[in-house]
Amino acid sequence: MRIFLALLLIGLAVAGFATGSIGTQAEETTGAAIVAPVRVTPRPDTCLNAADLREAVADKRVIEPVAAIRAARKVIPRAEIQRARLCRHEETLVYLLTALRRDGQFVHVMVDATTGEISGP
């Protein structure tokens, strides 16, 4: 019986994603601020590896990832940050943060790596 229920739930989830009724990105309203899904994201091949990230932070070229996470939490306060990557985007370095909201939706936030300001949704 448990296997049947598990298969049923998996089938419903797959059907939901296939029909588009379950999205993978969402907007969150916090007061007057609205966070929209990322429209232009850096390609994964433009992101720095961990060694390059540590070097950039040590050379004071970029802020620490913790500071970028703090900036993102001001926009999406109750979301859990799942991933933070340092990427090249339009001649600058940005942190691309992926957060999981409490309702199960993922939100992407770009933070300017030199200033710590939100540079894009």
Side-chain angles (χ1 to χ4, degrees), residues 13-35:
V14 169
F17 281 114
T19 60
S21 61
I22 300 175
T24 56
Q25 296 179 339
E27 297 179 3
E28 180 175 306
T29 303
T30 56
I34 296 178
V35 177

Side-chain angles (χ1 to χ4, degrees), residues 48-65 86 93 95 113:
L48 282 65
N49 60 28
D52 292 337
L53 168 65
R54 285 191 299 270
E55 182 181 331
V57 171
D59 292 343
K60 305 283 187 197
R61 289 183 289 161
V62 297
I63 61 172
E64 294 186 15
L86 182 62
L93 289 172
Y95 281 102

Side-chain angles (χ1 to χ4, degrees), residues 56-112:
V57 171
D59 292 343
K60 305 283 187 197
R61 289 183 289 161
V62 297
I63 61 172
E64 294 186 15
V66 174
I69 291 170
R70 280 191 210 115
R73 288 203 176 161
K74 291 178 183 175
V75 178
I76 45 172
R78 293 182 310 244
E80 181 180 328
I81 304 298
Q82 298 291 311
R83 185 174 190 181
R85 295 182 293 171
L86 182 62
C87 303
R88 289 182 184 87
H89 180 67
E90 297 178 357
E91 307 294 325
T92 62
L93 289 172
V94 296
Y95 281 102
L96 181 61
L97 301 164
T98 303
L100 178 62
R101 293 184 355 189
R102 289 186 179 194
D103 63 359
Q105 300 297 315
F106 284 98
V107 178
H108 300 283
V109 178
M110 281 195 310
V111 177
D112 188 311

